[in-house]
Amino acid sequence: MYRLALNMLFGDRAKLAMLLCGLAFSALLMAQQTSVFFGIMSWTYTPIYNIRSTIWVSDPMVEQANDAKPMRDTELGKVRSVDGVSWAAPLHMSILQARMTDGNFKLITMVGIDADTFAGAPAQLSQGRIEELRLPNTVIIDEWGAQLMGRTVVGPDGKTKTVPLKPGDTFEINDIEARIVGICKVRRAFTGGPFVYTTYDRAKAYNLEARRTLSFMLVEPRDGVSASQLCDRIERETALKAWTTDTVIWDWSDRSLAKNTFWWFWKNTGIPFSFGTAVALGLFVGIAISGQTFYSFVLENLKYFAAIKAMGAGMATIARMLLVQALTAGLIGFGLGAGMAQAIGRVMIEKGMPPFVMFPQIFWATLVLVLGISLVSAIIGIIKVSRVDAASVFRG
Amino acid sequence: MSQPTFETAVRTQGVNMFFGEGESRVTALKQADFDARRGELIMLVGPSGCGKTTLLSVIAGTLTPQAGTVEVFGQRLDGLGQEDLTTFRRKNLGFVFQSFNLIPTLTSLENVTVPLLIQGVSQREAEERARIVFEKVGLKGREDSRPNSLSGGQQQRVAIARALVHEPPLLICDEPTSALDKDTGAQIMEMIRTLSRAPNRCVVVVTHDQRIFRFADRIAEMEDGRIRRVVDDPRQLDTTHL
Ligand SMILES: Nc1ncnc2c1ncn2[C@@H]1O[C@H](COP(=O)(O)OP(=O)(O)OP(=O)(O)O)[C@@H](O)[C@H]1O
Ligand SMILES: [Mg+2]
């Protein structure tokens, strides 16, 4: 009977295509919208990705990763003296204007890192070496920024193109020269422009107006001390705020800077709301479309299910047939939709820094939802068929 | 009232069936007494709305009457629950409908396998057995055709194959020829008659179609929800009002 059920499903290619399109489209919508949402939201805590450190320490008033409230440099000594701290390094982070050689201004996120330890340095340099930051007036810029801040030239073919910045090129920050000695690969940020790394002391020089420049402290616990333990201790002994930097969304701790940043943006900006609405809409439209398509499939076959019922098939058999049909369609539809979402995501990732994060969880959740939709449609179909009078086969 | 004989296949007594309640109540059968024997082809005729389809549904166990007894091959259907009625239909019944009722997304042969698959016969055996019957209805070579690509007569032949593939003792046909032209209708009736012929099988055919009356062993004439009379020869019928 199951093979027959599947043959019924696959027998009408045109209707099957519509059914699968509905299911695939809703799976695509759900997976895609959710992934873009989490992608955008993960941009909000980009600094944690780009400036790796086990613990971040900040002013107690700081609420999220983009919100630097500079502290006095003496705080560093206090943190270093907390028991369990292996080392603590200063970090400067601010949004400044860079002036290009052609006179244009661009916003940048300036990151000043400790010149002795290079704590918080970008994990991956595609050109240059981090040590060259010790030379005067040097910076390392990220790939996206190098492209964004590049020069526009007219090629021999008459077309304009952008020549990205490369080591040796210069620009100015507050009238002080910045010479590029390296290009790094980092994530794109939600706020501010490209990441420009320099040393902590030089960041002070670039940032003329700043009274204080210690935005964050990067702290590493000693062996055997857990991050959250040390955070507790730092907060108790210094009256500063200490954060862990776990970014794994489904098990981030209460101290996670990523979590607090995520929720800060959730509460304080319209972006999560509008994207959340899009996700909700995706879910709603997805449920509506696939539910409706499967339901119309059932309606079209109602007459034949009634005939099968008259011929002596029990409701249990018919229910199993409908379940096999619905779940098979659901699985194929999910495969198509999730595959498309994945492909679109890949293109987005290749095109540059993606606001696209497809967790395996999103995949599974989409699968569960699509199968759930199929299941509900099947149950509605089963109820519908069970109400159908076997005697109705003689009519019409 | 005649006593049931050893050869009785179907017997209804005092069957009442009405639809709806109050003002809109329609009485379809009142005190319908009907007998059909093993080995015969009996036709149910009568004007439109006289209750032919309703009586057929009662015999088929797809409708349960409000009153009266229904006995098919010694088994009482009145009082049976839905589940037992389903089992009864699975084992005892073959259906031929006016509108064929073939599943359009299945091939013709797959359609014929349905009653066997419902009985739990394996896919392979079902196909083998379906092929044999398929050949008998003269459709060899059209196994993989979809019903919609067949003519009306061919579709009804598929339906006959489907009705007989599991060799049911009771074959029930509601207006099997009225969607077909005269010659095709006669061929279909001929086929029903020859293929369903078996000492123990009873065939009940509801029809309006006077051109096929000659295929009947007996004809039961219905009027206003009851059997008016049963005749052996169609010439005995007053056909002006049919
Ligand atoms: N499900 C139903 N609900 C309400 N009334 C019904 C139902 N089925 C049949 N009837 C009514 O019962 C009466 C007998 O109907 P039935 O279909 O048995 O007649 P019939 O002899 O088969 O007619 P026809 O020759 O037109 O097919 C009719 O008045 C019909 O309207
Ligand atoms: Mg009728």
Side-chain angles (χ1 to χ4, degrees):
Chain A
M1 272 327 260
Y2 303 129
R3 207 156 108 203
L4 208 72
L6 288 180
N7 288 347
M8 268 174 91
L9 179 67
F10 290 118
D12 189 335
R13 292 289 147 91
K15 276 193 207 100
L16 178 71
M18 262 185 51
L19 178 62
L20 291 183
C21 274
L23 287 164
F25 181 67
S26 53
L28 170 67
L29 214 56
M30 292 188 273
Q32 157 78 9
Q33 289 294 316
T34 321
S35 296
V36 170
F37 173 73
F38 282 109
I40 295 264
M41 288 311 274
S42 79
W43 276 9
T44 64
Y45 47 91
T46 293
I48 311 173
Y49 284 108
N50 291 353
I51 305 162
R52 302 296 326 196
S53 169
T54 311
I55 292 170
W56 287 44
V57 176
S58 72
D59 182 271
M61 299 305 283
V62 163
E63 289 177 284
Q64 45 103 349
N66 303 280
D67 168 31
K69 293 199 167 60
M71 302 162 279
R72 253 178 268 154
D73 279 357
T74 49
E75 303 287 0
L76 193 59
K78 285 191 206 160
V79 171
R80 281 177 175 152
S81 65
V82 173
D83 185 34
V85 171
S86 169
W87 52 257
L91 182 86
H92 171 80
M93 194 164 75
S94 59
I95 292 171
L96 295 176
Q97 278 192 334
R99 184 161 161 257
M100 313 308 303
T101 44
D102 61 8
N104 280 327
F105 285 94
K106 289 267 157 61
L107 280 181
I108 58 161
T109 298
M110 155 133 312
V111 179
I113 56 174
D114 181 31
D116 298 327
T117 56
F118 288 126
Q124 216 187 342
L125 265 65
S126 55
Q127 291 180 57
R129 288 183 314 122
I130 193 76
E131 288 77 15
E132 290 179 79
L133 271 190
R134 290 187 179 130
L135 300 172
N137 291 348
T138 52
V139 296
I140 289 174
I141 184 169
D142 71 38
E143 282 182 346
W144 177 63
Q147 187 70 33
L148 192 80
M149 293 162 67
R151 269 174 306 132
T152 310
V153 293
V154 181
D157 53 357
K159 285 180 192 153
T160 58
K161 59 173 186 178
T162 307
V163 180
L165 294 179
K166 57 182 189 308
D169 289 343
T170 59
F171 55 91
E172 281 177 7
I173 305 166
N174 281 332
D175 296 330
I176 303 170
E177 187 194 52
R179 187 164 52 85
I180 297 168
V181 291
I183 308 287
C184 61
K185 287 187 168 170
V186 293
R187 284 193 188 219
R188 194 151 147 183
F190 186 74
T191 54
F195 277 70
V196 174
Y197 291 82
T198 189
T199 60
Y200 181 72
D201 290 332
R202 200 171 310 119
K204 283 184 177 176
Y206 282 129
N207 204 346
L208 299 172
E209 295 103 74
R211 222 160 32 84
R212 295 170 181 174
T213 48
L214 184 60
S215 315
F216 290 98
M217 285 171 266
L218 307 181
V219 176
E220 187 63 32
R222 268 209 309 270
D223 280 351
V225 182
S226 79
S228 61
Q229 269 177 336
L230 187 54
C231 284
D232 287 343
R233 264 187 234 165
I234 291 170
E235 291 197 348
R236 224 179 306 123
E237 293 177 27
T238 66
L240 297 169
K241 208 153 176 177
W243 313 82
T244 60
T245 54
D246 42 318
T247 51
V248 185
I249 197 161
W250 51 89
D251 58 27
W252 54 24
S253 67
D254 282 345
R255 289 198 167 281
S256 165
L257 186 51
K259 177 183 178 172
N260 284 278
T261 306
F262 183 103
W263 288 114
W264 188 89
F265 272 81
W266 183 278
K267 283 176 209 142
N268 293 289
T269 71
I271 298 115
F273 178 76
S274 48
F275 265 91
T277 321
V279 173
L281 224 61
L283 290 181
F284 183 76
V285 170
I287 290 171
I289 291 178
S290 39
Q292 163 65 27
T293 2
F294 192 78
Y295 184 60
S296 69
F297 171 82
V298 170
L299 280 192
E300 270 159 28
N301 281 296
L302 202 57
K303 190 177 153 195
Y304 307 110
F305 280 116
I308 291 174
K309 205 169 149 185
M311 284 184 249
M315 266 323 287
T317 307
I318 289 171
R320 281 196 295 262
M321 286 177 79
L322 278 161
L323 281 173
V324 165
Q325 290 173 337
L327 295 181
T328 306
L331 268 180
I332 299 174
F334 164 77
L336 292 173
M340 275 191 281
Q342 189 71 278
I344 290 173
R346 197 156 292 167
V347 170
M348 287 173 80
I349 287 168
E350 266 163 25
K351 285 259 148 140
M353 305 290 211
F356 188 93
V357 178
M358 189 182 276
F359 304 128
Q361 275 79 356
I362 295 182
F363 233 72
W364 297 123
T366 309
L367 176 63
V368 167
L369 270 167
V370 172
L371 290 187
I373 294 166
S374 309
L375 198 69
V376 170
S377 319
I379 289 169
I380 294 173
I382 291 165
I383 292 170
K384 200 92 194 149
V385 176
S386 76
R387 296 246 172 92
V388 141
D389 200 347
S392 73
V393 290
F394 291 115
R395 268 176 253 131
Chain B
M1 203 168 280
S2 63
Q3 287 301 305
T5 66
F6 68 96
E7 56 183 356
T8 298
V10 179
R11 184 176 175 80
T12 73
Q13 279 186 312
V15 166
N16 283 347
M17 182 85 218
F18 53 83
F19 297 101
E21 290 298 329
E23 292 271 298
S24 59
R25 178 160 149 165
V26 180
T27 303
L29 297 176
K30 32 185 174 204
Q31 297 294 313
D33 300 336
F34 173 75
D35 287 281
R37 304 171 191 150
R38 295 175 193 236
E40 81 169 342
L41 191 160
I42 185 164
M43 283 186 185
L44 264 177
V45 306
S48 187
C50 69
K52 305 183 293 293
T53 299
T54 306
L55 182 58
L56 203 62
S57 303
V58 166
I59 295 167
T62 59
L63 269 187
T64 305
Q66 278 92 4
T69 61
V70 183
E71 198 177 316
V72 180
F73 293 99
Q75 187 173 1
R76 284 282 291 271
L77 298 191
D78 49 295
L80 283 190
Q82 278 308 319
E83 213 160 298
D84 293 329
L85 282 175
T86 304
T87 311
F88 162 81
R89 293 199 298 267
R90 177 158 67 228
K91 289 187 184 147
N92 297 292
L93 275 177
F95 290 94
V96 175
F97 308 99
Q98 173 178 357
S99 53
F100 321 133
N101 249 330
L102 299 169
I103 301 169
T105 46
L106 297 181
T107 67
S108 301
L109 190 75
E110 282 168 347
N111 265 290
V112 177
T113 62
V114 170
L116 294 173
L117 294 177
I118 291 174
Q119 292 188 346
V121 173
S122 75
Q123 183 92 21
R124 218 179 120 175
E125 193 193 331
E127 272 179 27
E128 271 169 29
R129 285 170 61 183
R131 250 172 237 288
I132 297 168
V133 187
F134 212 78
E135 238 184 285
K136 282 193 193 158
V137 296
L139 285 174
K140 193 173 161 61
R142 302 309 299 264
E143 287 85 349
D144 294 331
S145 305
R146 292 278 154 78
N148 290 343
S149 69
L150 301 177
S151 71
Q154 287 172 324
Q155 289 187 54
Q156 198 59 302
R157 282 194 265 165
V158 175
I160 292 168
R162 178 176 69 179
L164 292 174
V165 71
H166 53 308
E167 300 182 346
L170 181 59
L171 179 63
I172 281 207
C173 313
D174 194 20
E175 312 266 11
T177 62
S178 55
L180 305 172
D181 63 60
K182 177 172 175 276
D183 291 343
T184 316
Q187 281 168 22
I188 287 298
M189 219 38 238
E190 183 73 54
M191 188 164 275
I192 288 175
R193 203 180 153 81
T194 48
L195 288 184
S196 62
R197 236 332 147 223
N200 265 324
R201 183 173 291 139
C202 173
V203 183
V204 184
V205 178
V206 162
T207 189
H208 267 114
D209 189 352
Q210 295 172 32
R211 299 166 309 197
I212 64 168
F213 283 180
R214 61 193 161 96
F215 294 99
D217 295 316
R218 291 193 303 153
I219 298 177
E221 193 188 350
M222 280 190 83
E223 194 181 67
D224 278 343
R226 60 167 64 88
I227 305 289
R228 186 164 162 251
R229 58 177 174 156
V230 181
V231 299
D232 294 328
D233 188 333
R235 276 167 299 190
Q236 293 169 258
L237 286 175
D238 169 17
T239 55
T240 50
H241 64 285
L242 290 182

